[in-house]
Amino acid sequence: MIGACLWVIGIQFEVFSWLNAFVQAHQLSNEFMLVALMGMAVFVASLRKSLLLRVAMRERDITAAEAEAVARHDVLTGLANRRLFLETLERRRAAATLVPTQAVLLVDLDRFKPVNDIYGHAAGNAVLCAVAERLSALTPDAGLAARLGGDEFALLVPLDGGSDGLTRLAQGLIAAIAAPIQWQGNELKVGATIGIALISADQADADVVLHAADLAMYQGKKDGRGVFRVFKSAMDIELKARAQLESELREAIASGAIEPYYQPVVTLPGKTLVGVEVLARWRHPVRGLLAPACFIGIAEETGLIAELSMKLLRQACLDARDWPPHFQLAVNIAPQQFQDRWLCERILAILTETGFSPSRLEVEITETALVQDLEAARTTLTSLQNLGVRIALDDFGSGYSSLYHLRELKFDKLKIDRTYVDTITMSAERAKLVDAIIKLGASLGLVTTAEGIETDASVDWLSDQGCDYGQGYLFGAPMPKDAITALIGKPLEEIQATAIAFQAA
């Protein structure tokens, strides 16, 4: 801009000098000189204005180009953003044939949230930038890498190496992302699950392609994470069925169609019925009575588990008020619920409303809840125990840090995982493990309950080892309130007969 102005001034000076010499040489009048100077001034002003306008237009074009580049690239990682990725994908889809020559890889990070929670957003940003660099390094020359948002990335790649080349690329991406990331003396680790969709002419638009890759990625998450899956039409059908079930689940929770069933818990070796565990059953209008495995996972993923659990607890407390005062009620609390700082207050409100004694309530938690946030779990468990509620560590033996949690937290009971109980009479090694758990509990002043008991031989062995309580289909399947009420005070033979009848039903 400054150079252009100096150039105009130089021209103006040269023209003035020439005009002055011309006037003197031809002895022209001052009036002519004035007119000439005015004409020259108009010309120079016009030239200057034209030049300045051209410079301004060029600067505007440069600014617009820079703004356009920013609008199509992720500010943090420098990769293409969702807008540019979808535009490029749409162009290539429009030019595609029925035989796929390109593919989309949707990359979703695993275990990214704990990095943010533990080390902060600066560490999270460092991870995202490192992942972006690794993706860029592995993206083929004709490909495009993008950050779609959050911890979700995508690649658009040619199928030069066929399906084998695509497999190698996906495996290479998973391995590269899994490599540790160094940040301020810490070693940060994340993983990746990848969904792949091939691009062909029969797809409606870019969003359809990306949706297919998303479905494949979701299948990979279900299959255990850290894997890649290629889209198949059956995935879409399954997802729609799941969405329908989720909608029905919301309605069922609101309407009370999910009700508590009760599985007997007996003393060992006396085999006296002393309590029950609360288990959910859904009376589905089409599919009949559904077990928890059909819907609890969906309730946890969608955030419905808290509402469902509290409704079940309230109904169970109302049901149990009519049972003997020594009769215990055990309820499961999902790991997600321990993120709720008001969990203890919510449980207390239900106990107060229903008039159910806290000393008759036992809350069962798994190690997953402890691993997610040990301090939050510690606070909640201590508050519940201060109310008189007892705490049981469920599925003991299935986690990887049980001894640490027994040391850090105060429990009242250990529940031995059914996978150990199933095989104690057939596997000497499993029997030794169960015996060790029972002795560990006794040494810590904890009572033990064995889950999944199905044979008299298991009962005899567990009783001999000192196990305090038993639970399983040998003593009774989960059943409604009326059936449990009828069994209280009855001999074991009648309880088992009822169990057989419910299993047959």
Side-chain angles (χ1 to χ4, degrees), residues 241-331:
R242 185 188 183 280
Q244 176 65 28
L245 190 62
E246 179 183 329
S247 176
E248 294 172 348
L249 178 59
R250 291 181 185 276
E251 184 178 344
I253 294 173
S255 65
I258 301 179
E259 59 190 75
Y261 264 46
Y262 305 98
Q263 185 170 33
V265 176
V266 304
T267 60
L268 296 179
K271 303 177 185 177
T272 302
L273 182 61
V274 291
V276 292
E277 179 180 354
V278 180
L279 300 168
R281 291 294 185 271
W282 179 4
R283 292 192 181 278
H284 193 279
V286 177
R287 301 172 62 182
L289 194 65
L290 299 181
C294 299
F295 58 89
I296 290 297
I298 297 176
E300 291 178 341
E301 292 172 17
T302 56
L304 296 171
I305 190 65
E307 182 182 359
L308 173 58
S309 295
M310 292 301 101
K311 284 198 169 188
L312 287 173
L313 174 60
R314 182 180 184 279
Q315 186 57 54
C317 288
L318 290 172
D319 290 346
R321 287 190 307 183
D322 299 330
W323 297 336
H326 70 278
F327 211 73
Q328 298 293 311
L329 193 67
V331 297

XYZ file of all heavy atoms in Angstrom, residues 241-331:
703
model
N -34.128 -50.933 15.569
C -34.810 -51.746 16.578
C -34.428 -51.273 17.984
O -35.278 -51.210 18.884
C -34.453 -53.216 16.402
N -33.168 -50.912 18.152
C -32.724 -50.425 19.460
C -33.374 -49.084 19.789
O -33.775 -48.842 20.928
C -31.206 -50.279 19.479
C -30.659 -49.886 20.844
C -29.180 -49.564 20.756
N -28.622 -49.245 22.057
C -28.731 -48.081 22.679
N -29.409 -47.112 22.114
N -28.186 -47.886 23.864
N -33.469 -48.209 18.781
C -34.109 -46.911 19.001
C -35.569 -47.095 19.397
O -36.085 -46.377 20.265
C -33.993 -46.058 17.739
N -36.221 -48.066 18.780
C -37.611 -48.347 19.129
C -37.715 -48.858 20.564
O -38.599 -48.434 21.330
C -38.177 -49.400 18.152
C -39.587 -49.865 18.463
C -40.619 -48.771 18.318
O -40.420 -47.837 17.531
N -41.705 -48.858 19.062
N -36.786 -49.738 20.943
C -36.791 -50.273 22.301
C -36.505 -49.170 23.316
O -37.104 -49.144 24.404
C -35.763 -51.393 22.425
C -35.804 -52.215 23.724
C -37.142 -52.939 23.851
C -34.658 -53.210 23.761
N -35.607 -48.258 22.969
C -35.303 -47.141 23.871
C -36.541 -46.276 24.097
O -36.829 -45.867 25.229
C -34.182 -46.300 23.279
C -33.815 -45.098 24.135
C -32.752 -44.233 23.503
O -31.896 -44.781 22.761
O -32.770 -43.005 23.729
N -37.274 -46.002 23.026
C -38.499 -45.200 23.145
C -39.520 -45.915 24.025
O -40.164 -45.294 24.890
C -39.079 -44.936 21.756
O -40.306 -44.254 21.843
N -39.650 -47.216 23.829
C -40.591 -47.997 24.640
C -40.141 -48.049 26.101
O -40.981 -48.058 27.012
C -40.708 -49.405 24.070
C -41.354 -49.447 22.686
C -41.298 -50.834 22.053
O -40.567 -51.699 22.593
O -41.956 -51.042 21.028
N -38.815 -48.085 26.313
C -38.288 -48.136 27.678
C -38.631 -46.856 28.436
O -39.018 -46.905 29.608
C -36.777 -48.347 27.639
C -36.051 -48.388 28.985
C -36.588 -49.509 29.858
C -34.544 -48.530 28.776
N -38.482 -45.709 27.775
C -38.833 -44.441 28.418
C -40.293 -44.453 28.861
O -40.626 -44.047 29.975
C -38.585 -43.284 27.451
C -37.135 -43.019 27.141
C -36.967 -41.846 26.199
N -35.571 -41.663 25.820
C -34.674 -40.992 26.530
N -35.071 -40.408 27.661
N -33.426 -40.874 26.128
N -41.138 -44.932 27.982
C -42.567 -44.976 28.298
C -42.842 -45.966 29.425
O -43.671 -45.706 30.311
C -43.357 -45.356 27.044
C -44.862 -45.337 27.229
C -45.611 -45.666 25.963
O -45.007 -45.623 24.867
O -46.820 -45.966 26.056
N -42.145 -47.099 29.402
C -42.355 -48.128 30.420
C -41.945 -47.630 31.808
O -42.625 -47.898 32.802
C -41.572 -49.386 30.061
N -40.826 -46.899 31.882
C -40.388 -46.360 33.166
C -41.398 -45.351 33.689
O -41.762 -45.355 34.870
C -38.990 -45.717 33.030
C -37.943 -46.789 32.717
C -38.615 -44.976 34.315
C -36.571 -46.236 32.412
N -41.866 -44.497 32.785
C -42.828 -43.466 33.192
C -44.147 -44.070 33.649
O -44.783 -43.574 34.596
C -43.063 -42.499 32.036
N -44.570 -45.154 33.013
C -45.878 -45.747 33.312
C -45.830 -46.802 34.411
O -46.878 -47.289 34.854
C -46.470 -46.373 32.047
O -45.669 -47.462 31.599
N -44.627 -47.190 34.841
C -44.496 -48.207 35.885
C -44.604 -49.629 35.374
O -44.883 -50.553 36.143
N -44.363 -49.821 34.068
C -44.441 -51.165 33.487
C -43.247 -52.030 33.887
O -43.272 -53.240 33.694
C -44.536 -51.078 31.965
N -42.188 -51.405 34.417
C -41.044 -52.164 34.929
C -41.197 -52.268 36.435
O -41.288 -51.255 37.137
C -39.723 -51.481 34.556
C -39.603 -51.369 33.041
C -38.542 -52.255 35.131
C -38.355 -50.685 32.562
N -41.245 -53.477 36.929
C -41.571 -53.708 38.334
C -40.502 -54.540 39.024
O -39.715 -55.238 38.366
C -42.917 -54.422 38.431
C -42.946 -55.764 37.716
C -44.348 -56.330 37.626
O -45.141 -55.832 36.811
O -44.627 -57.282 38.383
N -40.444 -54.474 40.353
C -39.443 -55.265 41.076
C -39.861 -56.728 41.215
O -41.015 -57.031 41.517
C -39.373 -54.578 42.438
C -40.721 -53.958 42.627
C -41.184 -53.569 41.259
N -38.917 -57.615 40.941
C -39.046 -59.038 41.259
C -38.021 -59.319 42.342
O -37.039 -58.572 42.497
C -38.787 -59.890 40.023
C -40.047 -60.296 39.287
C -41.046 -59.376 39.019
C -40.241 -61.606 38.858
C -42.201 -59.740 38.342
C -41.400 -61.984 38.175
C -42.371 -61.051 37.924
O -43.514 -61.426 37.258
N -38.225 -60.403 43.086
C -37.399 -60.651 44.269
C -36.834 -62.070 44.234
O -37.577 -63.043 44.089
C -38.234 -60.455 45.531
C -38.892 -59.092 45.593
C -40.219 -58.920 45.205
C -38.179 -57.980 46.016
C -40.828 -57.677 45.248
C -38.776 -56.729 46.065
C -40.102 -56.577 45.678
O -40.697 -55.339 45.706
N -35.492 -62.165 44.363
C -34.850 -63.485 44.423
C -34.454 -63.794 45.860
O -33.798 -62.974 46.521
C -33.621 -63.549 43.523
C -33.011 -64.965 43.486
C -31.955 -65.121 42.430
O -31.233 -64.171 42.124
N -31.840 -66.317 41.864
N -34.831 -64.977 46.360
C -34.564 -65.326 47.761
C -33.073 -65.382 48.096
O -32.244 -65.796 47.279
C -35.198 -66.719 47.901
C -36.232 -66.775 46.832
C -35.653 -66.003 45.686
N -32.762 -64.977 49.327
C -31.429 -65.132 49.914
C -31.612 -65.922 51.202
O -32.445 -65.567 52.046
C -30.784 -63.767 50.219
C -29.437 -63.959 50.918
C -30.614 -62.951 48.952
N -30.838 -67.031 51.345
C -31.018 -67.906 52.506
C -29.732 -67.979 53.319
O -28.640 -67.702 52.825
C -31.428 -69.333 52.072
C -32.696 -69.280 51.219
C -30.299 -70.015 51.311
N -29.894 -68.332 54.577
C -28.723 -68.534 55.434
C -28.071 -69.867 55.109
O -28.708 -70.796 54.609
C -29.131 -68.545 56.918
O -30.072 -69.614 57.139
C -29.738 -67.223 57.325
N -26.769 -69.948 55.370
C -26.045 -71.206 55.243
C -25.381 -71.499 56.584
O -24.843 -70.585 57.214
C -24.976 -71.102 54.139
C -25.468 -70.869 52.713
C -24.283 -70.774 51.765
C -26.434 -71.959 52.255
N -25.483 -72.733 57.056
C -26.098 -73.891 56.402
C -27.598 -74.056 56.690
O -28.198 -75.019 56.223
C -25.303 -75.062 56.992
C -24.975 -74.596 58.377
C -24.757 -73.122 58.290
N -28.189 -73.170 57.455
C -29.570 -73.364 57.890
C -30.605 -73.312 56.781
O -31.699 -73.852 56.893
N -30.310 -72.620 55.652
C -31.205 -72.515 54.501
C -32.544 -71.866 54.866
O -33.600 -72.258 54.376
C -31.434 -73.901 53.878
C -30.155 -74.595 53.453
C -30.428 -75.987 52.925
C -29.131 -76.730 52.615
N -29.376 -78.110 52.158
N -32.473 -70.860 55.734
C -33.669 -70.119 56.121
C -33.762 -68.842 55.285
O -32.769 -68.117 55.117
C -33.606 -69.738 57.607
O -33.474 -70.934 58.383
C -34.857 -68.987 58.026
N -34.946 -68.563 54.774
C -35.156 -67.376 53.967
C -35.079 -66.122 54.855
O -35.887 -65.941 55.765
C -36.524 -67.448 53.281
C -36.894 -66.298 52.346
C -35.918 -66.186 51.188
C -38.316 -66.474 51.827
N -34.089 -65.249 54.570
C -33.894 -64.068 55.418
C -33.924 -62.748 54.630
O -33.861 -61.673 55.227
C -32.552 -64.142 56.165
C -32.580 -65.247 57.203
C -31.392 -64.316 55.188
N -34.035 -62.825 53.338
C -34.051 -61.594 52.563
C -34.170 -61.880 51.083
O -34.286 -63.039 50.647
N -34.163 -60.797 50.306
C -34.285 -60.914 48.851
C -33.392 -59.873 48.185
O -33.038 -58.852 48.779
C -35.742 -60.696 48.385
C -36.656 -61.832 48.830
C -36.266 -59.349 48.864
N -33.042 -60.152 46.933
C -32.399 -59.152 46.088
C -33.430 -58.650 45.085
O -34.172 -59.447 44.488
C -31.194 -59.731 45.349
C -30.529 -58.689 44.434
C -29.327 -59.226 43.684
O -28.911 -60.379 43.941
O -28.803 -58.487 42.819
N -33.479 -57.339 44.896
C -34.437 -56.731 43.979
C -33.879 -56.786 42.558
O -32.770 -56.317 42.291
C -34.722 -55.267 44.366
C -35.731 -54.645 43.408
C -35.208 -55.185 45.798
N -34.659 -57.345 41.642
C -34.276 -57.439 40.232
C -35.436 -56.940 39.368
O -36.600 -57.212 39.664
C -33.924 -58.877 39.862
C -32.751 -59.480 40.650
C -32.683 -60.982 40.432
C -31.438 -58.819 40.228
N -35.125 -56.206 38.328
C -36.161 -55.585 37.497
C -36.723 -56.562 36.472
O -35.999 -57.394 35.921
C -35.585 -54.367 36.783
N -38.018 -56.444 36.222
C -38.690 -57.182 35.159
C -39.619 -56.220 34.417
O -40.331 -55.430 35.031
C -39.493 -58.367 35.704
C -38.652 -59.499 36.266
C -37.832 -60.171 35.188
N -37.101 -61.329 35.674
C -35.874 -61.284 36.191
N -35.255 -60.115 36.308
N -35.269 -62.389 36.588
N -39.574 -56.316 33.088
C -40.371 -55.415 32.245
C -41.499 -56.202 31.594
O -41.246 -57.114 30.822
C -39.460 -54.790 31.195
C -40.148 -53.850 30.228
C -41.439 -53.439 30.230
C -39.523 -53.193 29.114
N -41.685 -52.572 29.199
C -40.520 -52.401 28.499
C -38.233 -53.197 28.592
C -40.255 -51.627 27.368
C -37.968 -52.432 27.475
C -38.968 -51.654 26.877
N -42.731 -55.811 31.897
C -43.889 -56.441 31.252
C -44.142 -55.743 29.914
O -44.912 -54.792 29.817
C -45.115 -56.343 32.154
C -44.995 -57.177 33.417
C -46.309 -57.309 34.147
N -46.156 -58.098 35.359
C -46.150 -59.435 35.388
N -46.318 -60.113 34.272
N -45.985 -60.081 36.525
N -43.454 -56.226 28.901
C -43.546 -55.628 27.575
C -44.840 -56.083 26.903
O -45.179 -57.279 26.946
C -42.347 -56.035 26.717
C -42.178 -55.249 25.472
N -42.883 -55.506 24.328
C -41.380 -54.177 25.194
C -42.530 -54.656 23.377
N -41.619 -53.834 23.878
N -45.577 -55.175 26.282
C -46.881 -55.543 25.713
C -46.797 -56.539 24.570
O -47.781 -57.240 24.277
C -47.442 -54.196 25.224
C -46.245 -53.316 25.074
C -45.288 -53.752 26.126
N -45.646 -56.635 23.911
C -45.505 -57.545 22.764
C -44.535 -58.674 23.067
O -44.810 -59.844 22.767
C -45.021 -56.771 21.517
C -44.797 -57.732 20.344
C -46.030 -55.690 21.136
N -43.421 -58.364 23.693
C -42.353 -59.344 23.899
C -42.482 -60.103 25.218
O -41.662 -60.966 25.521
C -40.997 -58.648 23.824
C -40.765 -57.942 22.492
C -39.510 -57.090 22.491
N -38.314 -57.882 22.698
C -37.102 -57.367 22.772
N -36.941 -56.054 22.682
N -36.056 -58.141 22.956
N -43.482 -59.796 26.020
C -43.698 -60.513 27.271
C -42.810 -60.000 28.387
O -42.353 -58.860 28.374
N -42.541 -60.853 29.370
C -41.746 -60.471 30.540
C -40.264 -60.495 30.184
O -39.708 -61.545 29.869
C -42.030 -61.427 31.700
C -41.538 -60.981 33.077
C -42.277 -59.721 33.534
C -41.724 -62.105 34.096
N -39.621 -59.323 30.263
C -38.222 -59.199 29.858
C -37.310 -59.139 31.076
O -37.596 -58.439 32.054
C -38.019 -57.938 29.012
C -38.797 -57.858 27.695
C -38.463 -56.568 26.969
C -38.497 -59.063 26.813
N -36.186 -59.871 30.986
C -35.171 -59.863 32.048
C -34.294 -58.621 31.916
O -34.264 -57.967 30.861
C -34.325 -61.127 31.955
N -33.550 -58.262 32.977
C -32.720 -57.048 32.948
C -31.727 -56.990 31.799
O -31.427 -55.905 31.304
C -31.998 -57.093 34.292
C -32.887 -57.895 35.178
C -33.522 -58.919 34.289
N -31.212 -58.134 31.365
C -30.219 -58.141 30.289
C -30.751 -57.507 29.008
O -29.970 -57.027 28.174
C -29.769 -59.575 30.006
N -32.073 -57.472 28.848
C -32.680 -56.928 27.635
C -32.762 -55.408 27.640
O -32.915 -54.802 26.577
C -34.083 -57.505 27.434
S -34.135 -59.298 27.240
N -32.667 -54.775 28.817
C -32.907 -53.332 28.832
C -32.044 -52.528 29.806
O -31.953 -51.303 29.664
C -34.380 -53.054 29.155
C -34.864 -53.604 30.460
C -34.760 -52.865 31.637
C -35.427 -54.880 30.527
C -35.213 -53.368 32.843
C -35.883 -55.397 31.736
C -35.774 -54.642 32.896
N -31.406 -53.146 30.773
C -30.612 -52.370 31.732
C -29.445 -51.664 31.042
O -29.120 -50.507 31.347
C -30.104 -53.268 32.874
C -31.257 -53.694 33.775
C -29.047 -52.525 33.699
C -31.947 -52.544 34.497
N -28.803 -52.334 30.092
C -27.703 -51.709 29.359
C -28.142 -50.443 28.643
O -27.444 -49.423 28.651
N -29.325 -50.496 28.021
C -29.859 -49.322 27.331
C -30.167 -48.220 28.339
O -29.903 -47.041 28.095
C -31.121 -49.696 26.532
C -30.776 -50.715 25.444
C -31.763 -48.461 25.916
C -31.974 -51.208 24.658
N -30.729 -48.597 29.483
C -31.048 -47.606 30.514
C -29.777 -46.904 30.998
O -29.788 -45.691 31.233
C -31.758 -48.282 31.685
N -28.678 -47.640 31.125
C -27.419 -47.037 31.568
C -26.852 -46.107 30.501
O -26.391 -45.004 30.798
C -26.415 -48.132 31.919
C -26.785 -48.921 33.162
C -25.812 -50.029 33.478
O -25.049 -50.429 32.572
O -25.811 -50.503 34.621
N -26.892 -46.531 29.241
C -26.326 -45.730 28.155
C -27.108 -44.444 27.923
O -26.534 -43.425 27.523
C -26.290 -46.550 26.865
C -25.314 -47.712 26.894
C -25.447 -48.601 25.669
O -26.058 -48.137 24.686
O -24.943 -49.736 25.697
N -28.411 -44.478 28.142
C -29.264 -43.323 27.846
C -29.518 -42.439 29.058
O -30.212 -41.428 28.943
C -30.615 -43.790 27.292
O -31.220 -44.700 28.223
C -30.436 -44.492 25.954
N -28.956 -42.797 30.213
C -29.155 -41.980 31.405
C -30.488 -42.205 32.096
O -30.868 -41.449 32.994
N -31.199 -43.266 31.713
C -32.500 -43.560 32.329
C -32.362 -44.404 33.593
O -33.343 -44.604 34.314
C -33.391 -44.306 31.326
C -33.792 -43.536 30.064
C -34.474 -44.478 29.072
C -34.718 -42.385 30.411
N -31.157 -44.898 33.863
C -30.979 -45.855 34.944
C -31.297 -45.254 36.308
O -31.824 -45.950 37.197
C -29.535 -46.422 34.931
C -29.414 -47.607 35.897
C -28.518 -45.334 35.232
C -30.243 -48.797 35.505
N -31.016 -43.974 36.509
C -31.267 -43.361 37.823
C -32.758 -43.327 38.124
O -33.197 -43.715 39.220
C -30.687 -41.946 37.861
N -33.542 -42.870 37.158
C -34.987 -42.820 37.357
C -35.557 -44.221 37.568
O -36.394 -44.438 38.459
C -35.653 -42.163 36.145
C -37.165 -42.031 36.286
C -37.816 -41.415 35.049
O -37.089 -41.081 34.091
O -39.062 -41.295 35.034
N -35.084 -45.176 36.775
C -35.561 -46.555 36.905
C -35.212 -47.121 38.280
O -36.062 -47.725 38.951
C -34.947 -47.418 35.797
C -35.203 -48.921 35.872
C -36.698 -49.222 35.871
C -34.506 -49.641 34.727
N -33.975 -46.937 38.721
C -33.528 -47.493 40.005
C -34.325 -46.927 41.171
O -34.722 -47.656 42.082
C -32.040 -47.213 40.210
O -31.261 -47.887 39.250
N -34.550 -45.623 41.160
C -35.276 -44.998 42.264
C -36.739 -45.448 42.298
O -37.313 -45.631 43.373
C -35.185 -43.485 42.163
C -33.790 -42.918 42.400
S -33.074 -43.319 44.035
C -31.942 -44.664 43.610
N -37.343 -45.647 41.141
C -38.730 -46.135 41.108
C -38.814 -47.567 41.632
O -39.742 -47.927 42.364
C -39.285 -46.053 39.687
C -39.661 -44.643 39.264
C -40.585 -44.653 38.059
C -41.169 -43.273 37.824
N -42.214 -43.271 36.776
N -37.840 -48.393 41.238
C -37.817 -49.778 41.724
C -37.590 -49.813 43.237
O -38.232 -50.598 43.949
C -36.717 -50.570 41.013
C -36.969 -50.936 39.548
C -35.723 -51.562 38.944
C -38.159 -51.894 39.424
N -36.677 -48.976 43.728
C -36.405 -48.942 45.163
C -37.647 -48.515 45.935
O -37.977 -49.118 46.971
C -35.248 -47.978 45.451
C -34.935 -47.732 46.932
C -34.567 -49.039 47.633
C -33.821 -46.698 47.085
N -38.332 -47.510 45.464
C -39.525 -47.027 46.155
C -40.582 -48.129 46.238
O -41.166 -48.377 47.307
C -40.091 -45.805 45.441
C -41.320 -45.203 46.125
C -41.835 -43.996 45.363
N -42.945 -43.379 46.071
C -44.207 -43.822 46.008
N -44.503 -44.885 45.263
N -45.162 -43.204 46.699
N -40.829 -48.822 45.111
C -41.842 -49.875 45.110
C -41.419 -51.040 45.991
O -42.236 -51.632 46.706
C -42.106 -50.364 43.682
C -43.252 -51.359 43.558
C -44.547 -50.800 44.089
O -44.988 -49.716 43.680
N -45.196 -51.524 45.005
N -40.120 -51.371 45.957
C -39.626 -52.478 46.778
C -39.774 -52.164 48.266
O -40.153 -53.035 49.066
C -38.166 -52.760 46.439
N -39.516 -50.927 48.653
C -39.679 -50.538 50.056
C -41.145 -50.614 50.473
O -41.456 -51.038 51.600
C -39.145 -49.127 50.276
S -37.339 -49.006 50.207
N -42.032 -50.230 49.581
C -43.462 -50.338 49.879
C -43.874 -51.800 50.030
O -44.628 -52.167 50.952
C -44.287 -49.670 48.770
C -44.206 -48.139 48.702
C -44.910 -47.628 47.444
C -44.826 -47.517 49.944
N -43.346 -52.656 49.131
C -43.680 -54.082 49.204
C -43.140 -54.709 50.485
O -43.817 -55.527 51.132
C -43.096 -54.825 47.991
C -43.795 -54.476 46.693
O -44.890 -53.868 46.742
O -43.253 -54.814 45.618
N -41.927 -54.359 50.855
C -41.248 -55.015 51.975
C -41.744 -54.557 53.337
O -41.404 -55.166 54.354
C -39.743 -54.776 51.868
N -42.549 -53.499 53.374
C -43.073 -53.054 54.673
C -43.930 -54.123 55.334
O -44.046 -54.178 56.561
C -43.904 -51.778 54.491
C -43.083 -50.541 54.200
C -43.926 -49.281 54.262
N -45.125 -49.368 53.420
C -45.994 -48.364 53.270
N -45.793 -47.223 53.911
N -47.055 -48.510 52.495
N -44.555 -54.989 54.528
C -45.433 -56.028 55.063
C -44.675 -57.280 55.476
O -45.278 -58.216 56.012
C -46.496 -56.399 54.014
C -47.366 -55.218 53.635
O -47.564 -54.340 54.495
O -47.847 -55.177 52.484
N -43.394 -57.341 55.208
C -42.608 -58.520 55.553
C -42.025 -58.360 56.961
O -41.984 -57.251 57.506
C -41.486 -58.713 54.532
C -42.023 -58.987 53.127
C -43.241 -59.516 52.822
C -41.359 -58.726 51.901
N -43.381 -59.612 51.466
C -42.239 -59.141 50.854
C -40.122 -58.204 51.532
C -41.919 -59.043 49.511
C -39.790 -58.113 50.198
C -40.676 -58.527 49.191
N -41.541 -59.440 57.566
C -41.010 -59.374 58.937
C -39.896 -58.330 59.061
O -39.155 -58.070 58.097
C -40.470 -60.792 59.167
C -41.266 -61.652 58.242
C -41.518 -60.813 57.026
N -39.744 -57.724 60.225
C -38.764 -56.641 60.411
C -37.312 -57.069 60.231
O -36.449 -56.222 60.029
C -39.020 -56.163 61.842
C -39.756 -57.279 62.503
C -40.547 -57.959 61.446
N -37.043 -58.380 60.315
C -35.662 -58.844 60.125
C -35.353 -59.081 58.647
O -34.196 -59.302 58.271
C -35.430 -60.151 60.894
C -36.151 -61.326 60.299
N -37.484 -61.574 60.571
C -35.737 -62.295 59.429
C -37.858 -62.671 59.904
N -36.813 -63.114 59.215
N -36.383 -59.046 57.805
C -36.238 -59.412 56.393
C -35.479 -58.313 55.638
O -35.875 -57.158 55.635
C -37.630 -59.608 55.783
C -37.674 -60.631 54.691
C -37.577 -61.976 54.978
C -37.822 -60.240 53.367
C -37.630 -62.931 53.979
C -37.877 -61.185 52.362
C -37.780 -62.532 52.656
N -34.383 -58.711 54.976
C -33.496 -57.748 54.320
C -33.863 -57.534 52.849
O -34.369 -58.421 52.178
C -32.049 -58.222 54.405
C -31.528 -58.344 55.835
C -31.430 -56.998 56.510
O -30.873 -56.047 55.964
N -31.973 -56.896 57.719
N -33.562 -56.318 52.375
C -33.836 -55.943 50.994
C -32.533 -55.455 50.366
O -31.937 -54.480 50.839
C -34.881 -54.817 50.966
C -35.549 -54.480 49.633
C -36.423 -55.636 49.181
C -36.391 -53.219 49.792
N -32.054 -56.138 49.327
C -30.805 -55.760 48.658
C -31.116 -55.163 47.293
O -31.877 -55.744 46.505
C -29.895 -56.970 48.502
N -30.548 -53.991 46.990
C -30.784 -53.315 45.710
C -29.449 -52.986 45.052
O -28.458 -52.697 45.724
C -31.615 -52.028 45.880
C -32.990 -52.334 46.419
C -30.893 -51.031 46.777
